[in-house]
Amino acid sequence: MGEAKEEAVRTIIEFVKAPDMFQCDLLDMPAIGQLEKDAKYALVYQLLKIFLTQRLDAYLEFQTANSTLLKSYGLVHEDCITKMRLMSLVDLGSSGSGQIPYALIRDTLRISEDEVEMWVVKAITAKLMDCKMDQMNQVVIVSRCTERVFSQHQWQTLRTKLATWRGNIANVISTIQTNKVTEEASQGVQGLMTR
């Protein structure tokens, strides 16, 4: 595992640099996990954790304390901010009630009111979210969000949704069959009455 440290660090840096990669399961990999307690690479692991589980404010705090480290790996601060804004927006969409107020987006992404819709469009274009913007009520209505990580919790949520859908489909089939039997019976009665 020790030999894999350099490769693990390179993988983390490539994920952070990639402008179109917003989801990964690197945190579950043993080669990556070993970096958390490594004196030399713990900060790189912490950076990955911020990108996958936290929001822009956490990145900005990390960058303030570790700007030299980020530069040493060739990370461009503005690019990281752009990616973290999109990931923070996705986090807002997946952790809420399906509606995100414009003001919350503005505050979380640290942008002006005029930029809110632009960032929502960027998230839609990157296929991170499916949503509608309600300009009158200043709210984004989210129908789907990409998960940043897909771990045990996401599997359990998916299982629950599938079980619900299965139950709903069973109810629809049962209703259709009941209606079909009722319709056939009423047609049979009508047939007897016409004879």
Side-chain angles (χ1 to χ4, degrees), residues 113-126:
E113 190 78 37
D114 297 341
E115 296 176 290
V116 169
E117 291 180 3
M118 178 195 72
W119 281 99
V120 172
V121 169
K122 282 184 179 190
I124 293 168
T125 303

Side-chain angles (χ1 to χ4, degrees), residues 21-24 51-56 82-100 104-105 108-109 119-131 140 142-149 154:
M21 191 181 299
F22 300 95
Q23 180 183 40
C24 76
F51 268 79
L52 290 176
T53 64
Q54 297 178 19
R55 294 184 181 165
L56 178 63
T82 298
K83 186 168 184 169
M84 277 306 299
R85 280 183 173 147
L86 288 169
M87 295 184 95
S88 297
L89 182 54
V90 167
D91 192 50
L92 287 174
S94 62
S95 64
S97 64
Q99 293 190 0
I100 316 167
L104 181 59
I105 295 171
T108 303
L109 303 188
W119 281 99
V120 172
V121 169
K122 282 184 179 190
I124 293 168
T125 303
K127 297 185 181 350
L128 296 173
M129 307 173 79
D130 289 333
C131 59
V140 174
V142 180
S143 56
R144 181 201 62 84
C145 267
T146 298
E147 296 286 345
R148 292 157 75 182
V149 293
Q154 284 74 23

Side-chain angles (χ1 to χ4, degrees), residues 9-10 18 28 41 46 49 53 56 60 75 79 91 99 101-102 119 123-124 126 135-136 138 140 149 169 183 195:
V9 169
R10 192 169 24 260
D28 295 334
Y41 299 121
Q46 186 180 348
K49 201 165 187 175
T53 64
L56 178 63
L60 292 173
L75 295 170
D79 295 343
D91 192 50
Q99 293 190 0
Y102 278 30
W119 281 99
I124 293 168
Q135 295 171 325
M136 294 294 289
Q138 296 284 289
V140 174
V149 293
I169 289 172
E183 186 178 311
R195 290 184 183 175

Side-chain angles (χ1 to χ4, degrees), residues 158-183:
L158 181 59
R159 181 181 184 188
T160 302
K161 284 181 182 178
L162 288 174
T164 301
W165 292 346
R166 184 178 183 189
N168 290 344
I169 289 172
N171 287 339
V172 168
I173 290 171
S174 174
T175 301
I176 290 171
Q177 288 173 341
T178 302
N179 287 342
K180 187 175 182 182
V181 168
T182 305
E183 186 178 311

